[in-house]
Amino acid sequence: MTVGGNDITVAGVHRYPNRWLAAVVMIGAATMDLIDLTVVNVALPTIRRDLHASGVQLEWTISAYMLALAAALIIAGSLGDLLGRKRVFVGGIALFGAASLAAGVAQTPGQLIAARAVQGIAAAAMLPQLLGTFRTMFTGDERGKAFGMYGAILGFASAIGLVLGGLLTQADLFGWSWRTIFFINIPIALVSLIAAVAVVPETYDPQAGRPDVVGAALLAAAIVAVAYPLLQGRSLAWPAWIWALLAAGIAGLIALGVVEERRQHSRIAPLLRTHLLRTPAFAAGLVAQLAFSAALQGFFLIFAVWIQVGMGFSPIAAGLTALAFSAGSFLLAPMAVPLAQRFGRLVLAFGGLLMALGSWGVVLGASHVGHGSNPWPVVPGLVVQGIGLSLLIIPLVNVVLAAVPHGMAGSAGGIFSTAQQLGGAIGVAVVGTVFFSRLEHHSFTASFKHSGLLIIALFLLAAVVTLLLPRTAVVDAEVV
């Protein structure tokens, strides 16, 4: 361990004096990822028009990012533990900036999709290092405060992304149009890179095993094999090989689970703590996360296309309308975890129910939105959706971890993050397929309302399975 060089190997051995400054720098860099999860949605119709992208290519623009993030997340965490979290984090910043430049200068949908995939890999390199470094730099109440700050910025960045995407796209600075949403990451990456090198300490896990490179490759291949048929199946008229590829992807995930189960005590760092899946509460929480993420990402894809292309709203008007969702989520966000600690799973189930009811309200209000004006009929539903989100997803991990061994908290959180990205990509694929298929013979509003029924069903599924979770919740300091 190198004290002078700010190397830290075990939490609590040294209290790094610049830990809060380092936390701010790391959160600032990670904000690029947090904003990119929402900023692109509002720009999709403009990207579609400028690059002559198909509906499937729009789905890939969103899904490529999330699929790459899901595939690389766990292996990136293992690499950081072994090689040094700062080293991997800084590399992730540099790669994200380069990928953002590539996305901004893309001339074809394929080039943009490829750049988005690299962005996802870069984000995967950053996020586990932030979490791991926080666990090492902070202890006790400070740790809970640090993660609370990160959670608050996460919600704020998502809201900013909705407005920023519309504002930058419509402002058309230097004639760059939607490309500005990617170019803006470049100065952020440069400043973050310099600051991270200067103040972030290098941390390791002395007990870390060797990264499972072969397992990571199998995981990535299996995820793509599952997602590709869902995204491309409709445009290819569902040939037999598409179904075979889907089956192979599912079989690959099962095979990986079997292999991981047998090597739990080997020197190779496990990708998946498969024995956690035998805990009913953990499995139920994972299903809730998948269903929630699928519904949410699917919703914002079709909402952006419907309100701009179908209803003629400008990008900034679309972003401001969607901001009602974020406003709703902020209303109860500070109370979500305390409520879950008092009432447990009932709070989460109620949150899922509110998300379904809010989605129903948006579906009902869609017919009354004016062309290019009067978004108010869908605003109440968006607000209710946001309130439901804060009650469901903010305390979800806290409740699930009440049934997980304390030493497994980090691994459980990593699996949940992977499930979040994978669920979102699958939701974009499935909901997008339903929407664009319906659009071939129906209006935008009819297609949006038809797809909305699937979104409602997914939120209801998330609500129901939360009833299998523990009755209580752990506190924030225990989660991290």
Side-chain angles (χ1 to χ4, degrees), residues 232-469:
Q232 294 288 154
R234 179 183 64 88
S235 63
L236 298 174
W238 300 102
W241 66 267
I242 277 284
W243 294 105
L245 183 61
L246 178 61
I250 295 173
L253 291 174
I254 295 173
L256 179 61
V258 172
V259 172
E260 291 291 314
E261 181 75 17
R262 293 178 178 177
R263 63 163 52 157
Q264 291 293 331
H265 302 290
S266 72
R267 294 183 179 179
I268 298 177
L271 279 175
L272 306 171
R273 301 280 184 175
T274 52
H275 61 279
L276 286 174
L277 298 177
R278 293 196 293 269
T279 303
F282 183 82
L286 208 58
V287 172
Q289 178 74 285
L290 285 165
F292 160 82
S293 299
L296 186 68
Q297 295 299 332
F299 172 79
F300 275 110
L301 168 70
I302 65 172
F303 182 82
V305 175
W306 165 71
I307 198 168
Q308 291 185 66
V309 181
M311 303 309 299
F313 277 63
S314 66
I316 186 61
L320 290 172
T321 302
L323 194 60
F325 179 92
S326 297
S329 69
F330 288 141
L331 289 176
L332 292 184
M335 302 169 58
V337 172
L339 284 172
Q341 290 168 359
R342 182 174 181 182
F343 300 106
R345 63 193 179 198
L346 295 180
V347 173
L348 279 70
F350 184 59
L353 181 60
L354 283 180
M355 295 208 74
L357 290 174
S359 300
W360 180 247
V362 174
V363 167
L364 292 179
S367 297
H368 304 285
V369 172
H371 189 81
S373 64
N374 188 29
W376 294 106
V378 299
V379 167
L382 289 170
V383 173
V384 173
Q385 277 184 323
I387 294 173
L389 176 138
S390 64
L391 295 179
L392 171 60
I393 207 63
I394 291 177
L396 177 61
V397 174
N398 301 56
V399 174
V400 171
L401 292 188
V404 173
H406 181 72
M408 295 289 100
S411 297
I415 294 174
F416 260 72
S417 296
T418 300
Q420 179 182 11
Q421 303 304 324
L422 181 58
I426 291 175
V428 166
V430 175
V431 175
T433 294
V434 172
F435 175 78
F436 287 111
S437 296
R438 188 80 173 178
L439 193 58
E440 293 175 358
H441 303 290
H442 297 81
S443 69
F444 275 93
T445 297
S447 302
F448 177 70
K449 294 172 69 173
H450 180 76
S451 306
L453 299 178
L454 174 58
I455 291 167
I456 292 169
L458 287 169
F459 282 136
L460 287 175
L461 173 61
V464 170
V465 297
T466 57
L467 296 176
L468 301 175
L469 298 178

Side-chain angles (χ1 to χ4, degrees), residues 26 85 128-138 200-201 203:
M26 296 189 81
R85 298 186 181 107
Q129 317 320 324
L130 181 148
L131 301 177
T133 302
F134 276 25
R135 290 190 186 101
T136 305
M137 286 195 304
F138 298 104
V200 174
T203 65

Side-chain angles (χ1 to χ4, degrees), residues 199-257:
V199 303
V200 174
E202 184 61 281
T203 65
Y204 303 84
D205 180 358
Q207 306 300 322
R210 290 184 289 110
D212 186 0
V213 178
V214 175
L218 177 58
L219 177 62
I223 286 176
V224 172
V226 170
Y228 185 87
L230 296 176
L231 287 162
Q232 294 288 154
R234 179 183 64 88
S235 63
L236 298 174
W238 300 102
W241 66 267
I242 277 284
W243 294 105
L245 183 61
L246 178 61
I250 295 173
L253 291 174
I254 295 173
L256 179 61

Side-chain angles (χ1 to χ4, degrees), residues 146-175:
F147 277 90
M149 180 173 68
Y150 174 63
I153 295 297
L154 188 152
F156 180 73
S158 299
I160 288 298
L162 292 171
V163 178
L164 191 63
L167 181 63
L168 292 177
T169 300
Q170 190 167 330
D172 194 21
L173 298 174
F174 309 108

